[in-house]
Amino acid sequence: MNGRRRPRADDVDVRVTGGMVHGVTERGMIVWRGLPYAAPPVGPLRFSPPTEVVPWEGLRDALEFGAIAPQAVSNPLLRPPSQAVASSEDCLTVNVHTPVSGMRTSALPVMVFIHGGGYGSGSSRDFSGRGEGFVRTGRVVYVSFNYRLGPLGYLDFSGYSTPERSLAANLGLRDQVALLEWVRHNIAAFGGDTDNVTVFGESAGGNAVTTLMATPSARGLFARAIAQSAPPDAVYPRQLTSRWAEEYVDILREIEGRRERVGRSASAGGDMGDSTSTPHHLLVNASTSDLVAASVALQVRTPDAYPGAFCLAPVVDGDVLPERPMRAFRDGRAHRVPLIIGTTDREGSIFRGRVDILPRTPSRIAALFARAPVAARRAMHEAYPGLPARRPAADFGGDYGFWFPCTRVADFHSRFAPVWSYRFDVAPRLLELTGLDATHGVEMFALFDRTDLPMARLMTSLGGLEMYTAAGERMRGEWLRFAEHGSPAEAWPRYRERTRETLVIDATDRIEADPRRDRRRAWNRFIPALAG
């Protein structure tokens, strides 16, 4: 039964937008899963902004997670590959986890988690979407949700709109705003405080957090924010995203053409579609699997064709997102809410092979150097001795994508609102031996108190479990205090641009002033646009 008991008479029925839902008690929590927060974005609503929930009659069971957004493969770090999970374009669902005591006490702070996965994979049913380690403290209501991914959520096909049917951009971002609006309207029924909502996320979820902070329609929908290992500058202008859309359509046309030829050879004269049809027709009529396959092909080619860029990302569309978030942070137009932001010690070391999206190969590094001011290149080589050898290249790429832009967000936002900065340095022994060290995503199992999962057991198999678990517990305590009070413990000083004091989470936590100052100064000269 996976810890689930049969529903009892004292389980909680709640009215939400759309109708009544039935929750169930599990392991010290009351949970409601798979609740729609928008209409299914299918059929004529494919590539359309989220619309209002379709109401239902009677009492709806909310015991199972909803279908995950269409994606190529599940992330083995988050979910065992043997665990079959249904995917569907009908994926806009939310889960609410409340302490058993939460329905009988005053309103609790709300934590809304945005899952990562490069905007191409992941879901709210992954372990981070369950949030047991947070909920069982009795201190918060925990919310997780699915949003559109890949070509259905993070490619910009607006240039292929027709008078009859518009294709909107930033659909995944629009879904996130719609979810936060659902929370605003419904969370009180689950024991949550409408006015005390913290959004937090890791990796792409961290990018979602920093992007939401610059999204006008999200203003007032959350009171605090936590961005873990965010690539905050992975937001691109329409000139570039329209080019990716063109390349995507060419790939999709090739896939559809191959399918058409195979179909015709299998059954002469069969109507398998027209590979010469318009981009609009291709996009709105292609199968979900072909849309995803074309997206994967585009993702594979993008890091070499556009070094330093990632094609699945928000777009500055002049509508939902009027400007690049980094500029909004710099000029004080981002929502002035308290922020925790940070990275791991060596973000880039995990990005190898199929997931090598960072500028860490010699050719990609050379392309970035060619764009940088000549006077800045020597300092960068001094900051990363041996570049482009493997280890310094991994650190160069990770710092480019994650660490340096996070320091810029901290610098800029600290001029207008409270900021706290951290770095997670804890690496179990196996990660040290393999040269990964405290890499991208390493904190997640510890933070969410899921060191029982196979990947976490593997990481700690050669030692370090106690240290790793304790670091996650301290980190979780800080996140909870921040959600409750808007600031972490007093021992963690507020970040100020003058001193850049940062909490380094390690075997023994410490505060460092302006960590890796030489690297930061080199990047300021190397990418002057981010220097402010």
Side-chain angles (χ1 to χ4, degrees), residues 214-459:
T215 301
S217 57
R219 186 177 299 277
L221 296 179
F222 56 95
R224 332 190 194 291
I226 304 172
Q228 299 174 218
S229 297
D233 206 42
V235 180
Y236 302 103
R238 198 146 237 172
Q239 299 95 305
L240 182 55
T241 61
S242 61
R243 199 179 316 158
W244 287 334
E246 292 174 6
E247 295 177 12
Y248 176 89
V249 167
D250 289 342
I251 296 170
L252 181 61
R253 197 183 300 280
E254 291 174 7
I255 293 173
E256 295 280 293
R258 286 197 300 270
R259 189 179 300 281
E260 179 183 337
R261 290 190 293 274
V262 170
R264 285 175 177 167
S265 63
S267 61
D271 182 11
M272 298 301 293
D274 180 6
S275 63
T276 63
S277 61
T278 66
H280 180 93
H281 183 272
L282 274 174
L283 291 165
V284 301
N285 290 288
S287 69
T288 305
S289 60
D290 284 353
L291 290 175
V292 172
S295 175
V296 172
L298 181 67
Q299 290 175 73
V300 169
R301 69 163 64 170
T302 299
D304 289 311
Y306 304 89
F310 185 64
C311 60
L312 298 182
V315 53
V316 180
D317 61 0
D319 177 19
V320 175
L321 193 60
E323 61 183 332
R324 294 191 76 152
M326 196 65 73
R327 177 172 293 179
F329 280 111
R330 183 195 66 188
D331 297 340
R333 288 187 291 273
H335 309 322
R336 298 184 180 185
V337 300
L339 171 68
I340 289 176
I341 188 166
T343 64
T344 62
D345 179 32
R346 299 192 62 225
E347 291 281 355
S349 63
I350 194 70
F351 290 89
R352 302 172 182 172
R354 181 178 174 82
V355 292
D356 186 11
I357 61 174
L358 295 176
R360 44 171 290 165
T361 66
S363 61
R364 297 176 194 174
I365 293 171
L368 292 187
F369 267 80
R371 301 203 300 255
V374 174
R377 299 172 189 176
R378 179 176 178 180
M380 188 59 71
H381 278 293
E382 292 174 349
Y384 299 88
L387 196 68
R390 181 172 174 174
R391 185 179 179 92
D395 291 337
F396 173 90
D399 288 355
Y400 172 89
F402 301 99
W403 174 73
F404 177 62
C406 281
T407 68
R408 294 285 76 195
V409 169
D411 282 348
F412 295 152
H413 197 55
S414 68
R415 300 171 186 174
F416 307 100
V419 173
W420 289 265
S421 172
Y422 76 91
R423 192 181 75 215
F424 190 88
D425 280 19
V426 177
R429 179 64 174 158
L430 181 63
L431 297 189
E432 292 180 344
L433 292 174
T434 57
L436 293 175
D437 302 309
T439 191
H440 187 74
V442 71
E443 83 280 17
M444 294 293 282
F445 297 101
L447 174 64
F448 285 90
D449 194 23
R450 291 308 309 269
T451 54
D452 60 315
L453 292 175
M455 182 58 66
R457 291 204 304 269
L458 175 63
M459 289 194 309

Side-chain angles (χ1 to χ4, degrees), residues 196-216:
N196 188 4
V197 175
T198 297
V199 291
F200 74 125
E202 186 266 346
S203 195
N207 174 276
V209 169
T210 55
T211 304
L212 284 166
M213 292 178 71
T215 301

Side-chain angles (χ1 to χ4, degrees), residues 157-182:
F157 301 123
S158 57
Y160 300 123
S161 297
T162 66
E164 296 75 26
R165 181 169 173 178
S166 176
L167 308 185
N170 283 321
L171 290 168
L173 178 61
R174 294 172 188 260
D175 293 344
Q176 292 158 10
V177 174
L179 177 281
L180 290 172
E181 291 174 340
W182 185 94

